């Protein structure tokens, strides 16, 4: 039985899953009396709300908002590749004089200059999900920015290793990476490469970007298999690309190509159960959002924070599902 995917959120005409305007998730402001101190305003800046991963991240951030009694402002770009929109959002937040920005940057390099401007304006910066480039941050003067995320290299390794375990004899493999300048994509690809290298009978023939998107995952998979028809393993650096790859394989009637993903979106559960997807990685998006907001408030209270906080990655396969 094939798996039918109804999610096509990465196309330009995708529905706005937040029910809000394109760039902001609406939540009623925290009420306060005229005599009370205005609430702390923390902005959560994410890549998009068209990927369910970031909807989970916002849920975790909203939990922190309720517990801490702050006002959370959620801003997103249209797509994960809309880097300049994130830049514009940060510049707007500087003018709005928010107290802190918790950011899952779409790019590890291009967001550093606007974040430096925000920090110079006295805004606390917390980096979650995708790590900012450490060397460029240092050169640019962006300093003391705590990071909350996961060990993406480890996650990529665990996911791809499930492909390796299922292969026997000589085989070809390929990797679908995200945005090439995103550190989380770089690290997941490195982990997958390490897993494939542990089996000398597996030849990694190609690494190609599908920019985190379902539709590009579909098209890139088609192109890769046209060029390398003997590929038997495909690691995708996120579930959106994996969904596109799986859909192409089903549409083309191709069997025998194993696919692994990353993110543990609810949309991949049926694919896991039916064997269309071998594995994925749960990186606890809600926990990252929760800790990011919590750290922002702690920083505003002048508490000392760890430079790095890693949330556990968890391998998810059909056998681990309830």
């Amino acid at each position: 039985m094939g798996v039918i995917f109804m999610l096509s959120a990465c196309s330009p005409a995708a529905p706005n899953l937040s029910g809000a305007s394109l760039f902001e998730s609406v939540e009623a402001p925290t009420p306060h009396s005229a005599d009370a101190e205005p609430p702390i305003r923390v902005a959560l800046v994410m890549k998009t709300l068209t990927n369910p991963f970031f909807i989970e991240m916002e849920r975790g951030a909203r939990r922190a908002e309720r517990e801490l009694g702050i006002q959370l402002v959620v801003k997103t770009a249209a797509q994960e590749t809309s880097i300049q929109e994130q830049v514009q959002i940060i510049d707007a937040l500087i003018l709005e004089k928010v107290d802190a920005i918790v950011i899952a940057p779409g790019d590890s390099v291009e967001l550093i200059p606007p974040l430096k401007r925000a920090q110079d304006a006295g805004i606390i910066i917390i980096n979650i999900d995708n790590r900012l480039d450490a060397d460029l941050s240092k050169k640019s003067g962006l300093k003391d920015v705590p990071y909350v995320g996961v060990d993406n290299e480890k996650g990529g390794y665990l996911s791809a290793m499930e492909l390796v375990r299922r292969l026997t004899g000589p085989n070809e493999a390929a990797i679908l990476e995200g945005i090439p300048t995103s550190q989380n994509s770089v690290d997941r690809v490195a982990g997958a490469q390490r897993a494939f290298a542990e089996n000398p009978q597996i030849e990694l023939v190609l690494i190609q970007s599908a920019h985190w998107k379902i539709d590009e995952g579909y098209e890139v998979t088609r192109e890769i298999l046209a060029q390398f028809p003997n590929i038997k393993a495909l690691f995708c650096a996120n579930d959106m690309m994996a969904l596109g790859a799986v859909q192409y394989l089903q549409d083309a009637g191709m069997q025998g190509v194993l696919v692994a993903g990353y993110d543990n979106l609810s949309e991949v559960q049926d694919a896991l159960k039916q064997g269309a997807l071998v594995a994925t990685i749960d990186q606890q998006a809600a926990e990252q959002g929760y800790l990011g907001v919590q750290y922002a408030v702690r920083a505003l209270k002048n508490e000392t924070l760890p430079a790095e906080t890693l949330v556990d990655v968890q391998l998810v396969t059909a056998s681990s599902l309830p």
Side-chain angles (χ1 to χ4, degrees):
M1 177 179 177
V3 182
I4 299 175
F5 301 114
M6 301 303 293
L7 181 64
S8 59
C10 286
S11 64
N16 179 5
L17 300 184
S18 70
S21 67
L22 185 60
F23 302 106
E24 182 170 4
S25 175
V26 173
E27 183 87 357
T30 304
H32 59 279
S33 68
D35 297 330
E37 285 291 324
I40 292 171
R41 296 181 70 228
V42 176
L44 174 64
V45 180
M46 299 184 296
K47 302 173 189 177
T48 182
L49 279 175
T50 61
N51 184 334
F53 175 83
F54 295 105
I55 295 176
E56 285 300 308
M57 182 175 284
E58 181 183 354
R59 286 176 182 161
R62 292 294 183 194
R63 178 163 64 93
E65 176 189 36
R66 292 190 297 271
E67 290 180 7
L68 298 170
I70 62 149
Q71 181 182 351
L72 184 69
V73 179
V74 177
K75 302 280 188 176
T76 72
Q79 300 183 59
E80 294 189 57
T81 52
S82 304
I83 310 304
Q84 286 307 308
E85 289 180 10
Q86 274 199 326
V87 171
Q88 293 166 10
I89 287 169
I90 294 168
D91 285 336
L93 291 170
I94 294 171
L95 295 176
E96 292 178 26
K97 298 181 179 180
V98 297
D99 297 297
I101 294 174
V102 179
I103 184 164
D107 186 277
S108 297
V109 171
E110 292 189 44
L111 274 299
I112 291 174
L115 289 172
K116 175 63 165 60
R117 292 195 292 272
Q119 191 175 70
D120 289 345
I123 298 172
I124 294 294
I125 308 297
I126 307 293
N127 176 202
I128 63 174
D129 178 39
N130 180 36
R131 193 190 298 265
L132 294 165
D133 184 274
D135 290 338
L136 186 58
S137 292
K138 184 176 181 180
K139 291 177 183 176
S140 301
L142 181 65
K143 58 184 181 179
D144 300 326
V145 175
Y147 172 70
V148 178
V150 300
D151 185 338
N152 279 290
E153 198 276 346
K154 177 182 177 181
Y157 174 83
L158 291 174
S159 183
M161 202 62 197
E162 287 301 302
L163 299 173
V164 174
R165 290 192 182 102
R166 287 166 168 78
L167 295 174
T168 57
N171 287 284
E172 294 180 350
I175 293 174
L176 295 191
E177 65 178 344
I179 297 173
T181 53
S182 293
Q183 192 61 46
N184 53 358
S185 178
V186 171
D187 292 343
R188 292 172 197 178
V189 169
Q193 288 176 297
R194 178 162 66 93
F196 290 139
E198 289 187 6
N199 185 336
Q201 291 191 298
I202 296 177
E203 179 185 4
L204 179 59
V205 297
L206 188 67
I207 301 173
Q208 190 163 331
S209 176
H211 299 97
W212 303 124
K213 299 178 182 178
I214 289 180
D215 52 354
E216 286 196 38
Y218 186 102
E219 290 302 320
V220 171
T221 300
R222 178 181 60 79
E223 293 167 5
I224 288 176
L225 289 171
Q227 185 178 0
F228 299 99
N230 295 322
I231 284 175
K232 297 301 180 186
L234 187 62
F235 170 74
C236 301
N238 80 344
D239 280 347
M240 301 290 272
M241 295 185 296
L243 287 170
V246 167
Q247 191 65 63
Y248 171 74
L249 293 172
Q250 292 182 349
D251 289 350
M254 299 184 69
Q255 298 181 349
V257 180
L258 302 178
V259 181
Y262 198 112
D263 277 342
N264 193 31
L265 303 182
S266 59
E267 287 77 8
V268 304
Q269 304 306 299
D270 285 344
L272 285 166
K273 291 174 182 177
Q274 297 179 25
L277 190 69
V278 167
T280 187
I281 295 294
D282 190 337
Q283 57 171 332
Q284 303 190 66
E287 185 69 7
Q288 291 189 48
Y290 176 84
L291 288 174
V293 173
Q294 185 187 73
Y295 276 25
V297 174
R298 289 176 59 187
L300 287 164
K301 295 179 179 179
N302 295 316
E303 294 185 27
T304 300
L305 299 174
E308 177 183 90
T309 301
L310 295 181
V311 177
D312 287 339
V313 292
Q314 300 169 346
L315 178 68
V316 181
T317 64
S319 62
S320 67
L321 292 176

